[in-house]
Each structure stands twice: as structure tokens, then as C-alpha cells.
Amino acid sequence: MKKILVSAGDPSGDQLLAHIIKSINESSPGQFEFWGLAGPLCERQGVKLLVSSKDVAVVGAFEVVRNAGKIFGALTKLAAALKESDSLLCVDFPDFNFRLAGVAKKLKKPVDYIVAPQVWAWRGGRIKVMRTWLRRLYPALPFEEELFKQQGVDAKFLGHPIRDVLPVRNRRGAREVLNLKEEELILAIFPGSRTSEIRRNLPLMIESWEQFKKNQARWGVKKEWTGLLTVAQGWKLEELAALLPKKLAPVFSELLKKEWKVSFQNHASLMAGDFGWITSGTASLEAGYYQLPHVLVYKLNPFSVMILKSISSYFKDPNSFAGLPNILLQKRVVPELLQSDLTPRRLAFETLDLLQDAHRLDVMKKYLRWIPKKLGEVGVSKRIADDLVQEWSR
């Protein structure tokens, strides 16, 4: 039996990897043992957790520094496990996984990688580093295969693994599951899955909601809306509340009693929603898949932004995009509010402006219909699993 060390450091990576491991276990039972960094979904598929993804899922340079002890502790533990492993399988999470892959290179352990880092957007020099330790790359976006191949990386686009974890769109069924009335207008609120994201975005979204409700009539958006706060996997509602500033805690409590409902099912929320405030990342791609009109939001610590500006063209190039739907469509279909542009007032007013413009909303929905086709055909997890088994069995 071959021992595979896995490294999936956030909830989306845990979800994608769990489906791939499930396919491997079904096609090749008893041939491979998995252990490493992952979350509860991978654990259910038999992965032995050496480190939980919740302990290391941070984003931004400042957050990495603040959590350096946990992160380096996890890296040390996984590096030791690599010595007893036959191979390393990484999913996304490049800042951590590149360091782990460097250890694998020293130990002469092969590395396979699912979901490529966005080197075409920032830190293009990473491709040269990847060439030194990578055996096989499975990029998630169709144009990435040729880009990496041109740089000498063995890349194979088999579709985006998220394609297999997204249930078929069923708005009525989703509303029944979430106990929502058919006539209710639902604004799906996704503050993120990482602690730093929730700490920044949830207070802002609470204040945006107040601005939204206060200015509805002036904007001609007369119908009542219900907020649907979607809590990411692995989080409890009280944990989110604990991240709020003290002044917003009672406001949050009142919203949950009167104007907001809570969902722990992100896909159902996206299907049931009429509009969304979505934190940039996998959730935005999923929102695009379900053709949910939304505003994409993101805010990093100023120190992290300073570093990002030095290694990315995003803040200088007006034709660059941050959101995955816009990147796939190569067009700014979904509004992006980032950093200083992201204020409670701006998010509320951008939303109201869209909701009273039926033509603009219709255009957004029409473009988003192309997203499923860009992700490849169903069966991505099995195709990647079969290819990995073939590599590992040589």
C-alpha cells in the first residue's frame, strides 16, 4: 500500500480533495493510504488528519505573520510525515504548499498539484519554482493548461474539480430546504470561510444592510428583502458573533431575530438567492455557476495589500479581474468592490443601483450562463483520480 501525504489547507480544497479521494478509494480499494492536512470531508473519506485545515486557513501577509506559530508547526509536522510518504498531493493553498513542496524536492518525493496558483495574475516567477519539483499539475481553468505547458510544466486540464461537487440547480427545492417562501426576495450574504475574512466582512455587511434598508425607497427598490447569512462549513453562529466588534453584537442579534435568516448550506443559499454579497473565492465561482447576480467583495490588511501591489498588476491594470467569474468570462460582468472601494455605503448603493436596473441584471445573468461550460464536463474528480492512480502505480 502506497502512502500519500495530502495538503488541502482551506474548506474548498477539503471539499474538492474529498471527492477525488472517494473516486480513488472506489476504483483502487486498499491500494493507497492518505494522511496530512485537510478537513472534515476528507476525514470522512478515510484521510488521517495530522493537521486540521481550520488551524492554518489564513489569508494575507499580516495574517500569516500573526499565525506563524501554527503555520510553521503544521509545516514541521507534515515535513516529518513526508519522510514516510511515497508522494505528495497538494490542492491550491500555494503559500503553504510551495514550502511543503520544497521539502518534498529535498527528499526526492514526487509532487502532484490540483488547482494551479494564479501565476498569470501575480508572482509569475512561481512557474520556474514549480518546474523544479512538480510531476503533474491539474489546472482548474481551461486557458491555464497551455500557459503552463509553454513554460515546461506538465499540465493537464481535466475540468474544474468543483464541477462535481455542485448539485443541479433547483431553486424551488433549495427554498423548501431552507424554509423560505417562494415570494420572498432573498439577499444571500457570504462573509467568507477564514477567520480574517469573517472578521473584516461580516461587520461591513451588517452595516451595508442597514444602509441598504435605509435607502431602498429613495432608489425605487420598494419590495422587502430578507438577508440569508450563510455560515461556512466548520463554523458555528456563535463563533461568527464572537468576531464582531462589541457595538455590532446587539445589532447582529436583532437582525437574526427580525430581518436575517441563517443557512449552513452554501449551495442551497446560492440557488435560493435573488442577489448576493459574495466574498471573493470559490463562493463567487459557485454563485456564477448558479447564475446568481452578485457583488464580489474583498478586503485585505493594508500591509498585505502593500505587498500584493508590489507583485501584482491588479491595482494598476484596469483590465485585470479579481473574481473568478470575471476571469473565466474575461469581462467585468460581476461588480468588484475591493479594499478602499469596499465600504458599507458603496456596497449598499451598488446593490440598489443594480436592483433597480432590470436590463443590467438581465445582462449579468446571461453572461453567467456560460460559467458551467467553462468548468468542463461532469466527472472531473474521477478523471483526475484515474490519472493520479496511473501516475502513482508506475
Side-chain angles (χ1 to χ4, degrees), residues 162-390:
I162 202 172
R163 189 73 172 82
D164 296 337
V165 307
L166 296 174
V168 176
R169 189 182 181 201
N170 181 357
R171 177 184 167 86
R172 180 174 293 180
R175 289 205 163 209
E176 287 177 1
V177 166
L178 298 175
N179 197 26
L180 301 173
K181 297 174 184 175
E182 184 55 37
E183 66 273 13
E184 277 188 278
L185 287 171
I186 299 297
L187 199 158
I189 298 168
F190 281 68
S193 60
R194 297 180 173 103
T195 302
S196 57
E197 292 173 337
I198 297 167
R199 198 188 300 275
R200 288 199 186 93
N201 294 330
L202 185 55
L204 183 139
M205 289 171 169
I206 291 171
E207 293 175 356
S208 294
W209 179 265
E210 293 184 305
Q211 291 275 351
F212 173 76
K213 300 293 281 188
K214 181 181 175 181
N215 291 280
Q216 266 188 263
R218 186 157 66 92
W219 238 267
V221 180
K222 296 178 181 178
K223 294 181 179 179
E224 285 299 311
W225 283 74
T226 299
L228 183 63
L229 174 66
T230 303
V231 180
Q233 181 189 349
W235 284 92
K236 297 176 182 177
L237 194 58
E238 54 268 29
E239 291 176 323
L240 266 62
L243 296 175
L244 292 171
K246 287 184 179 180
K247 68 175 183 176
L248 285 182
V251 180
F252 184 55
S253 180
E254 281 298 302
L255 282 178
L256 294 178
K257 288 176 185 176
K258 297 178 179 178
E259 298 179 27
W260 284 11
K261 296 183 178 180
V262 178
S263 167
F264 292 89
Q265 302 182 58
N266 61 322
H267 297 147
S269 297
L270 295 170
M271 287 188 239
D274 297 287
F275 197 81
W277 292 343
I278 313 290
T279 297
S280 180
T282 304
S284 181
L285 182 60
E286 293 174 337
Y289 178 87
Y290 289 118
Q291 294 144 53
L292 175 68
H294 62 282
V295 177
L296 179 142
V297 305
Y298 212 78
K299 185 172 280 193
L300 283 168
N301 179 279
F303 176 65
S304 300
V305 175
M306 182 180 70
I307 293 175
L308 186 59
K309 282 182 176 180
S310 70
I311 55 179
S312 169
S313 64
Y314 178 80
F315 293 96
K316 302 171 188 173
D317 184 358
N319 296 314
S320 292
F321 312 113
L324 286 170
N326 292 338
I327 290 167
L328 273 173
L329 297 169
Q330 285 298 290
K331 186 177 181 67
R332 196 177 293 273
V333 174
V334 175
E336 299 182 357
L337 293 182
L338 312 177
Q339 294 310 116
S340 59
D341 289 335
L342 179 55
T343 65
R345 185 180 177 88
R346 180 77 185 274
L347 177 55
F349 286 7
E350 183 74 37
T351 302
L352 290 166
D353 192 47
L354 270 164
L355 293 179
Q356 60 81 39
D357 190 338
H359 174 71
R360 193 174 163 203
L361 271 179
D362 189 52
V363 169
M364 189 188 298
K365 289 176 184 176
K366 284 180 179 177
Y367 273 109
L368 291 178
R369 286 176 195 155
W370 287 97
I371 295 291
K373 295 179 182 178
K374 298 282 187 180
L375 299 178
E377 297 296 322
V378 175
V380 179
S381 298
K382 188 175 188 315
R383 291 195 290 274
I384 293 176
D386 290 347
D387 199 70
L388 283 169
V389 168
Q390 191 173 19

